[in-house]
Amino acid sequence: MAQMIVGGEHVGARSGEVMEIRNPATGEIVDTVPKASAEDVRQAVDVAHEAFRKWSTTPPAKRAEILTKAGELVREHLKDIATIETQEQGKTLRESQIEVGRIVENFEYYAGMATKLRGEYVPLAERDKYGLVVKQPIGVCAAIVPWNFPVSLMSNKIAPALIAGNTVVVKPASTTPLAAIRVVELFHEAGLLPGVLNIITGPGGVAGEELLVNPRVRKIAFTGETGTGKHVMEMAARDIKRVTLELGGSDPMIVCDDADLDAAASAASVGRFFNCGQACLAVKRLYLFDSIADTFMEKFLPKVERLKVGNGMAPDSRTGPLHTAKQRQEIEEMVQEAVDKGAKVLVGGKRPEGEEYAKGNFYLPTVLVDVPTDTRMVQEECFGPALPVFRVKDLDDAITQANNSKYGLGSSVWTRDIAKAQEAAERIEAGYTWINNLHVAYDELPFGGVKESGYGKEHGMEGLDYYLESKSIVVAGTRPSPSAERKAE
Ligand code: NAD
């Protein structure tokens, strides 16, 4: 049985209750984890609160050393962590390995920043005073993580939080805690002080909720659904906790008449079906200029047909199962509603057949056309392997349709014309626009949504700012006061 880690110790729930973690490809139990109560979570927060004084005064270079060492250990154990993740989450082993590799880069990026943190000296109106702006850690931060990228979305939070001098309580999704626990164990092997980084497991409505209401938690870093994010923000408002919210998306991809269609077709296939379509940054609405739509589809559809669905551990699988039966049902309902309203399925649109698929949550990669805009697939977030494709007459039409969404996370435009690219990048309402390349978030660039896709940033130097408070200090009496100077004259 896997355990939580609180104060550097492996612990169970006081009640002794556990939750089962099941493999989405086979339905088999992978392991169990403690089912924490609110009291268990309170204890973890108290431990993190206690550790704050020591960690916040630990020299930044030492914090960086531990983060770097943790990254090295993750790299050493990459295959094992990726295997655990594939078993609990369902994604292919290759996808898990990419994700685990990304967290090492994230740790290296923020470790490098530890010794670069600076404040400011500010001259003031009075000659005998000056101001300082110092950057201070916030305190105990809660990291609440979803199931689609269980280790990278945790790491995006813990690396900047720890480098800034905060302590952390992580709550992974109830169905994907195992790889995250392994990473937290490696931090302790890397020499992290007990209590600085804790991980608790339990249902969102109980364990997560305690993190929202606990007054000792000073910041909540949340990634998950927009609906849950709104609740997090409301609860945080009660005692003015800091929040960053990374929420749902419905990213548009626009392919213009002068685009490199081979590159765009490959990007659309990877961008929609990576992680079985369960990604916040994913091509969820594809807009093709009318004049190239047929040629594009001739290149794109065979790529989708070739994607081999299977158990994530099988080397030839290109896409795994959906994470839960409920998630598959939601995609099936969205596809059915679109078809009922007149959409046509060009590829997929059903479960794969065969004994090997009988016990898993498998669904074929699906492409649809003629999808009415009032369907859930277009209006809400389609969090699975189904893609509606639309024809547009020009760039203005494409941008108008792209912006007709409550979300604003990622987006991409494909064109060789710099003027079109500039126009799209400026007008698309999103936190990120890729021009002629794939939706990949960089450590160096701030990432976060506009509209209902979120609030605040992760990644980049901005990501670190969200774990720091700017404090102003006024220093007086360091020079003779002006009146003393006059008397002396
Ligand atoms: P979710 O909102 O159901 O759960 C996210 C986390 O919140 C889980 O750990 C869950 O246990 C916890 N939680 C649930 N109820 C809670 C409560 N009342 N109090 C505190 N915590 C609670 O989301 P999900 O289904 O796990 O993840 C999929 C969603 O995440 C999608 O909408 C996806 O777009 C979004 N997402 C966004 C980003 C981004 O960076 N913008 C990245 C990945 C996923």
Side-chain angles (χ1 to χ4, degrees):
M1 176 176 127
Q3 302 269 282
M4 306 189 286
I5 300 173
V6 176
E9 304 280 332
H10 285 96
V11 297
R14 281 157 201 236
S15 67
E17 279 189 83
V18 295
M19 306 186 295
E20 288 173 350
I21 306 303
R22 286 184 181 269
N23 185 328
T26 62
E28 287 161 6
I29 296 175
V30 182
D31 205 340
T32 60
V33 287
K35 188 174 180 185
S37 64
E39 201 189 339
D40 293 321
V41 178
R42 269 197 290 282
Q43 199 201 355
V45 173
D46 289 346
V47 165
H49 180 76
E50 184 65 30
F52 178 68
R53 179 187 279 266
K54 219 165 174 186
W55 182 245
S56 59
T57 53
T58 297
K62 179 71 188 166
R63 292 182 209 149
E65 191 186 305
I66 293 169
L67 190 62
T68 304
K69 178 76 186 156
E72 286 165 7
L73 290 174
V74 168
R75 187 180 280 124
E76 222 173 274
H77 296 274
L78 192 146
K79 185 108 191 267
D80 298 342
I81 300 169
T83 303
I84 298 171
E85 178 158 316
T86 289
Q87 287 168 350
E88 67 179 335
Q89 204 280 341
K91 64 182 69 181
T92 63
L93 189 57
R94 193 180 136 269
E95 290 170 333
S96 293
Q97 285 175 330
I98 293 173
E99 184 184 342
V100 180
R102 291 280 289 112
I103 80 174
V104 178
E105 293 167 16
N106 182 268
F107 292 172
E108 285 168 352
Y109 177 78
Y110 280 111
M113 228 182 254
T115 51
K116 319 294 181 295
L117 275 176
R118 288 187 173 182
E120 280 172 276
Y121 162 85
V122 185
L124 298 175
E126 299 104 315
R127 275 202 62 234
D128 62 335
K129 293 180 184 171
Y130 61 86
L132 294 174
V133 183
V134 296
K135 303 276 184 182
Q136 295 188 318
I138 300 172
V140 178
C141 299
I144 304 181
V145 183
W147 49 260
N148 61 335
F149 292 98
V151 293
S152 62
L153 296 172
M154 170 178 78
S155 303
N156 293 348
K157 297 167 179 52
I158 62 181
L162 295 179
I163 282 303
N166 301 285
T167 56
V168 183
V169 178
V170 177
K171 198 209 86 64
S174 312
T175 48
T176 52
L178 301 172
I181 290 175
R182 188 69 194 111
V183 172
V184 173
E185 281 171 354
L186 293 176
F187 266 90
H188 290 88
E189 282 177 34
L192 191 66
L193 298 172
V196 173
L197 176 62
N198 310 276
I199 182 162
I200 50 106
T201 53
V206 178
E209 197 69 28
E210 173 59 26
L211 292 171
L212 308 186
V213 298
N214 191 305
R216 285 187 154 169
V217 173
R218 294 309 318 149
K219 176 191 171 150
I220 303 164
F222 173 84
T223 301
E225 282 179 20
T226 293
T228 322
K230 288 179 183 177
H231 174 68
V232 169
M233 201 169 190
E234 272 177 36
M235 298 304 283
R238 294 188 177 187
D239 45 0
I240 319 291
K241 289 181 170 58
R242 276 47 181 152
V243 287
T244 38
L245 303 169
E246 300 289 353
L247 310 177
S250 181
D251 298 357
M253 171 173 174
I254 299 173
V255 184
C256 300
D257 49 358
D258 59 352
D260 176 343
L261 297 186
D262 290 305
S266 297
S269 174
V270 178
R272 173 64 284 198
F273 300 108
F274 189 80
N275 210 28
C276 197
Q278 302 162 118
C280 55
L281 277 183
V283 177
K284 295 189 183 137
R285 294 172 291 144
L286 178 57
Y287 296 102
L288 305 176
F289 273 40
D290 222 351
S291 55
I292 50 87
D294 292 335
T295 319
F296 178 93
M297 293 301 261
E298 277 165 27
K299 293 173 187 290
F300 174 58
L301 294 179
K303 288 183 195 298
V304 181
E305 278 160 350
R306 276 200 301 273
L307 289 170
K308 165 93 175 68
V309 177
N311 186 322
M313 292 305 292
D316 63 340
S317 295
R318 287 293 164 269
T319 176
L322 282 125
H323 180 53
T324 58
K326 185 168 157 273
Q327 198 61 32
R328 176 173 64 178
Q329 188 189 337
E330 183 168 309
I331 297 304
E332 287 178 327
E333 286 171 7
M334 282 190 179
V335 170
Q336 189 58 51
E337 186 217 13
V339 169
D340 289 347
K341 288 185 170 173
K344 213 160 87 200
V345 174
L346 298 187
V347 180
K350 57 181 183 182
R351 301 178 184 186
E353 284 156 20
E355 193 51 37
E356 64 199 288
Y357 300 117
K359 295 197 173 126
N361 311 314
F362 295 98
Y363 193 75
L364 288 172
T366 298
V367 179
L368 304 100
V369 289
D370 301 331
V371 180
T373 51
D374 67 347
T375 48
R376 285 183 61 206
M377 182 174 288
V378 182
Q379 293 301 321
E380 297 174 21
E381 179 178 40
C382 181
F383 211 60
L387 177 66
V389 183
F390 307 92
R391 286 170 179 252
V392 290
K393 48 178 202 299
D394 55 23
L395 189 61
D396 190 58
D397 185 17
I399 295 173
T400 306
Q401 293 202 46
N403 286 343
N404 185 16
S405 169
K406 63 183 173 187
Y407 297 110
L409 195 58
S411 55
S412 70
V413 60
W414 295 75
T415 176
R416 290 188 172 95
D417 179 344
I418 188 79
K420 277 196 195 120
Q422 183 74 16
E423 169 86 359
E426 282 177 13
R427 284 180 53 201
I428 294 175
E429 296 161 358
Y432 230 122
T433 297
W434 283 262
I435 299 168
N436 296 327
N437 65 121
L438 196 62
H439 284 52
V440 175
Y442 287 87
D443 282 319
E444 295 83 350
L445 293 173
F447 167 76
V450 301
K451 302 193 317 195
E452 293 197 17
S453 285
Y455 174 79
K457 300 290 178 192
E458 288 190 341
H459 295 286
M461 290 164 76
E462 293 81 353
L464 193 54
D465 283 343
Y466 281 90
Y467 289 95
L468 290 163
E469 297 280 13
S470 291
K471 177 170 187 179
S472 294
I473 299 173
V474 176
V475 184
T478 54
R479 287 196 192 97
S481 71
S483 55
E485 276 182 23
R486 270 197 302 278
K487 268 188 212 148
E489 281 164 12

